[in-house]
Amino acid sequence: MPTQPDTLLQLEGVTKDYGARVVTHVLRGIDMMVEPGEFLALTGPSGSGKSTLLNLVGLLDRATAGRIRFLGSDVAQLDEAETTALRGRGIGFVFQFHHLLPAFTALENVMLPLLADRGRRDREMHERAAALLEEVGLGARASYRATDLSGGEQQRVAIARALVMRPPLVLADEPTGNLDTESGDQVFRLLRTFNERYGTAFVIVTHDERRAAHCDRIVHLIDGLVASDSGHKVRS
Amino acid sequence: MPFELIVALRYLREGRTQTWLILTGVGVGVGVIIFLSALITGLQESLVARTLGTQAHVVVRPREEMPRVLRPGGDVVLDARIERPAQRIRSIVQWQRARDEIARLPGVVETSPTIAGPAMAERGDGGSAVTVRGIEPETYRRIVNLDAFLRGGRLDFDGFHAVIGTELARYLGLSVGDRFRLRAGGDAGGVYTVSGVLDLGNKDLNQRLVFVSLRAAQSMFRLEGGVSTLEVKGTEIYGAEPLAREISRRTGLVADSWMRTNEQLLIALRSQSASSLTIQAFVILAVALGIASVLAVSVTQKSREIGILRAVGTSRGQVMRIFLIQGSILGLLGSAGGIALGAALALIFSRLAQNPDGSPTFAMALGTALYLRSAVLALGVGVVAAILPAWRAARMQPAQIIRYG
Ligand SMILES: Nc1ncnc2c1ncn2[C@@H]1O[C@H](COP(=O)(O)OP(=O)(O)OP(=O)(O)O)[C@@H](O)[C@H]1O
Ligand SMILES: [Mg+2]
């Protein structure tokens, strides 16, 4: 598969096995490409390997075999420090269970990636985080403790945090799975808004057919293989 | 403020109860160390000071006379008898030269010639065996601060004036201005006037010591122009032993350091220090284990958060530092409390351990150096205790902990 110059992410024959004695082949050879600005739904039955795939792409885990190229680098070749740097700047995460740090305020949670990257606080990161909180409609909640926010609000803070580094790719693992329909819709609309506003590519794991249908492309996993891929839909 | 410090402080604040408990633990530990150190050091300093209050660091005297083999006659030894010569008071040969040589040695503050010899102190029917010390007041007073012991009268040694201990004064019914007779071997001696009374803090010394001028002692012991000992004060109390060896090497005289003459005391002090250090070592160990266990629990509790931190771009090194910093903060803050606690304990204790007159029996050795040492120690213990938990936190696999918490 030739690498196209504008390819953001490219997977070739990616496999992932778990276990030493009893080996589980969770991913059995994934080939796929994600281009900048895509809005992609990753679907599939429970246990098909969606979260596993996201962890590999998110540089949180390493593939057993195959090749993952992200932003032009073969991620298997990167050392610990380079991996951390690429993850911090290149990828945003939104998890199912919001995963905010409870000891910090909403604003500080959003600032966290900038803080880790720059090593110390500065004015600019403050302003940038505050602006993003405004964008997710939580400007007034900036100084709330993470634990004092509702589930939907927490997830919106997590989205702001995922976007604060302006990463080219955001990975969202069932971002609405834990929310009621209304706040789920709100969160989903927010992802779409950011996709359109900043051209950020999104890979969203979802069980919800209706939401998947709202995405530009649907990749369906079954038993660790890509069962179907609707391909990149050119939006009018 | 660095990122790691911000997160570390938040985590400590978040773990309120745990943090307070371990801070209290560290504080109590450091407090015990401060108290023990202040107590033991103070006690030992006062013991040593008391011992050295009445004696020189080094006392130099002539070599003992060589035993002679007596041959009854003829070339064949039939019956050799080794006879130790009677140890009479002898002068140091060319003592002025020896004194100058000693005075030139580095680490010597003062050298004073003295004579010590036995005599009887008598008044009327009463009599008591005493040790007469002939001294050169100007130099001797810089070695033994007699002024500090004076309880009555003046330190006047001119002519037939003598300064005696309180016990002897009581025993012979002497007060300042009274006369008594000092009788040495044969008919040497004379009638002396008590010019001052000393309390040397030791009943035996108070009973036994009579200070007269060097000249008076020289004539009393038929030692015209001679002295029996040179007393030396050095700059370093515990440098006395090497100084004594050096003096002996240079002059060929016998030189005894206070450390040698008070060997029992030194052994006692050393074993006291050793047991105090052992206790402190165990306290440090307990503090370290306390900090380590609190942080280990915190790492487990926070594993999911550590995963998030890693996911948003925090490096392993940063995660590690977050926990190392927590350890050092616990150590430092705990030691601040501990210093206050230890100092308070020490002060209360010195209030309780008072002399009948209300003065403290000895001064607690509190001070900035001790506080600083304890703070640095606690900081080090905090960091070391944090190493294992921090390492475990840094090694966590983000994918696993995000999935399973
Ligand atoms: N660390 C692991 N060790 C062993 N097996 C694992 C491990 N992690 C995941 N698995 C297994 O891999 C398979 C795929 O898991 P994964 O979480 O990727 O599925 P998923 O598609 O995200 O499912 P769901 O929709 O329920 O979230 C499952 O059978 C799971 O049990
Ligand atoms: Mg999953």
Side-chain angles (χ1 to χ4, degrees), chain A residues 18-19 24 26 44-53 173-174 207, chain B residues 400 403-404:
Chain A
Y18 281 117
T24 327
V26 177
S46 184
S48 55
K50 305 182 294 294
S51 296
T52 304
L53 183 60
D173 199 345
E174 302 187 47
H207 282 288
Chain B
Q400 300 300 315
R403 184 191 295 262
Y404 302 108

Side-chain angles (χ1 to χ4, degrees), chain B residues 236-395:
Chain B
E236 298 288 331
I237 291 176
Y238 288 96
E241 181 53 29
L243 181 61
R245 276 201 298 270
E246 180 66 9
I247 289 171
S248 182
R249 203 177 62 76
R250 290 284 179 103
T251 61
L253 298 166
V254 176
D256 286 325
S257 70
W258 74 272
M259 299 161 81
R260 179 72 60 87
T261 19
N262 296 277
E263 215 161 348
Q264 290 306 317
L265 173 69
L266 273 174
I267 290 172
L269 293 186
R270 246 178 248 134
S271 41
Q272 195 183 44
S273 299
S275 55
S276 148
L277 283 179
T278 311
I279 295 172
Q280 293 186 29
F282 279 109
V283 170
I284 290 168
L285 185 66
V287 166
L289 290 177
I291 293 178
S293 72
V294 162
L295 290 179
V297 169
S298 164
V299 167
T300 309
Q301 282 176 341
K302 297 216 175 325
S303 55
R304 184 185 288 257
E305 293 185 35
I306 293 164
I308 303 167
L309 282 170
R310 296 297 310 281
V312 301
T314 305
S315 70
R316 281 191 173 177
Q318 285 175 318
V319 169
M320 181 124 184
R321 283 195 289 278
I322 287 171
F323 285 90
L324 290 179
I325 289 172
Q326 288 185 63
S328 45
I329 291 173
L330 288 177
L332 268 185
L333 280 186
S335 72
I339 287 167
L341 178 72
L345 270 179
L347 293 177
I348 290 170
F349 185 86
S350 69
R351 274 282 168 77
L352 294 179
Q354 278 176 345
N355 289 324
D357 66 359
S359 65
T361 39
F362 60 89
M364 287 281 177
L366 292 168
T368 324
L370 175 63
Y371 302 151
L372 218 66
R373 192 168 61 88
S374 310
V376 169
L377 181 72
L379 174 66
V381 166
V383 172
V384 169
I387 286 176
L388 211 66
W391 186 69
R392 199 160 66 83
R395 238 182 20 145

